[in-house]
Amino acid sequence: MTFLISAPSPQADIILWNGKILTVDSEFSIEQALAIRAGQFVHIGSNQEVLTLKGSETKIIDLNGHTVIPGLIDNHYHMLSKAVDQHLGVEIALTESLEKMLESIAAKANKTPPGDVVYTTSGWMIEQLREKRAPSRQELDRASPDNPVVVQGGHTLYLNSQALKLAGIDRHTPNPPGGFIGRDTDGIPTGLLIDNAMFLARGLIPTPTFDQKLDALRVAQKKENSVGITSVREPGLHPKDMRVYQRLWQEEELTLRVSMNLNLDHHLSAQELTDYLGQWGVSTRFGDPMLRLDGIGEFGLDGGFEAAWMSQPYFFSEAPSPFYGLQRIDSEKFSAVIKAANTLGWRPSIHAVGDQAIDMLLDTYKQAHKIDSIFGKRWLIEHAHYTRLDQIPAIRDLQIFISTQFHPYMSAGTMKRHWGEKRAAQTMRLRDWIDGGLTVGGGSDWSLVPANPFWMIYFWVTRDTRLWGKLGPEQSITREEALRVMTINNAHLTFEETIKGSIEVGKLADLVILSEDFMTIPEAAIRDIKALCTMLGGRIVYVDSDSPISID
Ligand SMILES: [Zn+2]
Ligand SMILES: [Zn+2]
């Protein structure tokens, strides 16, 4: 993309001065001031230099020493679905006890007409609950005697008896391929559904209307701006949900730049999937800086922490041992889809959590590469939680990028329980990845709105977790590296490094003014950093009402 900079008028629209500008350019230069015109950075430098661009109409912001960073990019955030869940469901992501979870469900059920399904948000983990266990079917029956209940976990669902009945799941229902139904000693379903078994009950959660989605997104994008986010990548959207974003885009209501992955249905055959991709006249990189198509994804090869596909058996599992996790897509189907995607110009961005799933992904990408080079196409592995060291050169040699998250911060307990201490400590090995020459972008995959990026940065820098102490501290990265992950690296990930991701002349003026000095604040306080002001293309999209600096 090229920008026309109107040379004759040197006057800036906005000047930020007297601050600490972390440009995140290749040298990680730190400057005092910046000027914005027509939505782009036109100068970055000393106070003196930048103030020469001041004209009668120029808005001047005195940063009073505060730090400015490029607008933050969350490259893996299911924003629409989380926004809708929070809008219509029971919020339980940060619940401290099972008792409280059941109380929240009971309160919602009391207000819901009998027979209507009550459901929760996901994002909570058993280990964060005081009782250290999930709700039983019987407990959910007591909390909600007149309504079916679906409690959403990460890769699990917990149903009450009415919900099981409504989903048609009983003792005769077989485990679907790539899925598992929890059963008691008599073979009666306990209400637990793992991975592909979740599809048996997915239909129970009421489908929100277009307007409900639109409303939920309007609220959610503002919340994201309030934590410094200026771009998100949706890892998997149905076309009908792309329309919700398109509506906001055409009404010029978007206050976030959005990249959209196309979701592929696991149930379709290889032929149906390749035909489906072929019907699209557009593919990866289509769009503009506000709304664009990304790749295909997540098209999960394996499960989450409870069922990631591993080369070594699980330490603990609900499934019979030895358990190696679940392969959710067969190799032939996956290979056919990836080859078709390559021909049709779609960039795959595939969920692979366990090392065995990563092996399968690498094999398949390599096959596709032999037919038509994937160099420079920035194909992705989503998550890559447990990468073996020997896989790193293979990833680098195919020029594959890693899209990482910060799951251990919220769920280290679950990882340790299922994978054992050693494997858990080696998850999300950002240090090894970066030292091994990989490009790493980052996102939240968070279940809350907003998804606070400073929690992610905190985890990557300290490896400290919410409740379980430090996890593999030797994998920590520097603040500078963490900031790169959330800005310029993510811009690379969506082929937008020439227009955003750093504060450089000619780039879109996406920035955040921070409450603290990011580079010097004690590590422990990183997670409490706040955005004082967020700008998108030079437009103010958020101002903290308690901001100590005058912005309006
Ligand atoms: Zn995933
Ligand atoms: Zn995801």
Side-chain angles (χ1 to χ4, degrees):
M1 156 162 258
T2 51
F3 291 106
L4 295 175
I5 296 174
S6 43
S9 160
Q11 216 183 81
D13 298 332
I14 306 171
I15 286 176
L16 276 64
W17 72 291
N18 189 24
K20 184 172 178 180
I21 318 284
L22 306 184
T23 63
V24 195
D25 62 8
S26 56
E27 272 84 51
F28 204 77
S29 326
I30 300 179
E31 300 285 357
Q32 292 177 311
L34 63 84
I36 298 168
R37 186 166 57 238
Q40 297 159 22
F41 298 115
V42 290
H43 200 91
I44 302 113
S46 68
N47 287 332
Q48 205 179 8
E49 275 167 36
V50 170
L51 286 170
T52 61
L53 299 176
K54 178 183 169 187
S56 54
E57 303 287 306
T58 307
K59 180 183 176 67
I60 305 282
I61 297 175
D62 178 353
L63 294 164
N64 198 16
H66 280 86
T67 298
V68 175
I69 58 172
L72 295 168
I73 303 171
D74 188 331
N75 91 27
H76 190 123
Y77 183 38
H78 301 271
M79 183 165 84
L80 178 55
S81 69
K82 299 310 168 197
V84 169
D85 278 0
Q86 206 167 55
H87 207 53
L88 303 174
V90 183
E91 175 59 81
I92 58 166
L94 295 178
T95 300
E96 288 153 13
S97 68
L98 186 55
E99 188 188 349
K100 282 203 176 130
M101 181 196 290
L102 292 166
E103 273 170 27
S104 308
I105 291 167
K108 179 78 171 183
N110 267 330
K111 289 187 285 183
T112 305
D116 286 6
V117 174
V118 168
Y119 74 100
T120 72
T121 60
S122 60
W124 61 279
M125 292 283 156
I126 285 173
E127 288 72 16
Q128 82 191 46
L129 304 177
R130 203 174 53 225
E131 297 84 351
K132 306 285 180 231
R133 61 179 184 83
S136 68
R137 185 187 77 224
Q138 293 81 357
E139 284 167 328
L140 292 172
D141 287 344
R142 282 196 291 278
S144 171
D146 303 318
N147 299 80
V149 176
V150 180
V151 175
Q152 302 195 77
H155 282 249
T156 49
L157 296 178
Y158 301 89
L159 276 58
N160 72 351
S161 300
Q162 281 204 40
L164 279 170
K165 198 167 166 201
L166 205 58
I169 299 168
D170 61 25
R171 57 184 307 151
H172 306 296
T173 311
N175 287 337
F180 177 76
I181 301 170
R183 299 169 205 268
D184 65 19
T185 45
D186 299 325
I188 312 280
T190 59
L192 167 68
L193 305 178
I194 298 181
D195 280 310
N196 285 358
M198 292 162 60
F199 293 126
L200 300 170
R202 271 282 184 234
L204 298 187
I205 294 177
T207 312
T209 65
F210 184 87
D211 286 338
Q212 283 172 328
K213 290 178 186 171
L214 207 53
D215 284 345
L217 263 193
R218 284 191 178 110
V219 175
Q221 63 169 354
K222 285 291 179 194
K223 288 187 178 171
E224 295 311 314
N225 294 149
S226 78
V227 291
I229 298 284
T230 53
S231 299
V232 298
R233 194 168 66 95
E234 280 273 10
L237 283 176
H238 291 282
K240 64 181 186 309
D241 288 338
M242 291 182 178
R243 290 193 195 110
V244 186
Y245 278 107
Q246 191 188 337
R247 173 69 70 83
L248 289 178
W249 171 81
Q250 77 198 28
E251 300 295 330
E252 297 187 4
E253 278 190 68
L254 278 178
T255 61
L256 288 172
R257 307 183 192 281
V258 181
S259 289
M260 305 182 291
N261 259 3
L262 173 65
N263 181 67
L264 295 182
D265 189 338
H266 277 237
H267 288 109
L268 299 179
S269 67
Q271 192 58 50
E272 286 166 329
L273 286 165
T274 50
D275 288 350
Y276 176 68
L277 284 178
Q279 284 163 17
W280 283 70
V282 289
S283 59
T284 299
R285 301 180 70 167
F286 177 76
D288 71 6
M290 287 310 301
L291 186 63
R292 48 192 282 137
L293 271 183
D294 199 73
I296 50 167
E298 295 183 33
F299 205 46
L301 282 187
D302 61 349
F305 320 128
E306 301 91 348
W309 189 22
M310 296 284 199
S311 59
Q312 299 299 318
Y314 273 58
F315 190 71
F316 162 83
S317 172
E318 310 274 355
S321 60
F323 183 62
Y324 290 85
L326 298 171
Q327 175 185 359
R328 297 179 65 199
I329 305 173
D330 78 67
S331 317
E332 264 169 51
K333 176 154 118 181
F334 185 57
S335 174
V337 172
I338 293 303
K339 283 175 189 157
N342 199 13
T343 310
L344 295 163
W346 285 100
R347 180 260 294 270
S349 112
I350 304 299
H351 165 120
V353 172
D355 63 322
Q356 191 72 33
I358 295 170
D359 275 340
M360 173 172 154
L361 177 143
L362 287 172
D363 278 352
T364 310
Y365 281 12
K366 210 177 285 172
Q367 286 169 29
H369 175 67
K370 276 191 190 138
I371 300 167
D372 183 357
S373 169
I374 66 166
F375 287 159
K377 293 180 180 172
R378 307 180 190 186
W379 283 18
L380 292 179
I381 308 178
E382 295 293 344
H383 312 310
H385 284 87
Y386 187 66
T387 319
R388 295 189 317 268
L389 276 179
D390 66 279
Q391 291 173 321
I392 294 177
I395 296 168
R396 187 190 54 226
D397 292 349
L398 281 171
Q399 300 182 5
I400 295 166
F401 286 13
I402 301 265
S403 162
T404 192
Q405 288 77 38
F406 81 128
H407 296 110
Y409 181 73
M410 303 290 275
S411 36
T414 308
M415 284 182 181
K416 288 182 185 189
R417 191 158 75 105
H418 288 81
W419 301 351
E421 292 282 342
K422 190 163 166 245
R423 261 185 300 193
Q426 291 171 346
T427 58
M428 306 218 139
R429 48 199 333 156
L430 275 96
R431 184 71 277 147
D432 291 335
W433 289 335
I434 292 173
D435 291 348
L438 304 189
T439 302
V440 181
S444 62
D445 205 8
W446 206 353
S447 304
L448 288 170
V449 180
N452 190 334
F454 296 103
W455 289 24
M456 296 172 223
I457 290 172
Y458 174 78
F459 170 70
W460 295 328
V461 170
T462 65
R463 295 289 291 195
D464 187 27
T465 62
R466 192 164 154 246
L467 300 171
W468 305 274
K470 291 205 177 192
L471 187 77
E474 60 282 358
Q475 292 301 333
S476 55
I477 59 172
T478 66
R479 295 173 199 220
E480 178 184 327
E481 287 168 328
L483 192 56
R484 285 189 187 283
V485 168
M486 285 303 282
T487 56
I488 192 69
N489 290 14
N490 278 341
H492 268 280
L493 221 101
T494 56
F495 304 91
E496 293 176 289
E497 72 278 10
T498 58
I499 63 164
K500 69 182 189 187
S502 61
I503 298 178
E504 292 182 88
V505 170
K507 284 196 171 181
L508 296 162
D510 298 354
L511 62 83
V512 196
I513 305 173
L514 301 181
S515 61
E516 312 295 337
D517 184 336
F518 177 75
M519 295 307 287
T520 61
I521 190 176
E523 270 188 358
I526 293 176
R527 61 183 147 184
D528 301 321
I529 293 177
K530 288 192 167 45
L532 298 180
C533 172
T534 306
M535 288 190 200
L536 183 84
R539 186 160 61 100
I540 294 174
V541 290
Y542 171 74
V543 178
D544 178 9
S545 53
D546 296 327
S547 170
I549 54 176
S550 167
I551 287 158
D552 288 319

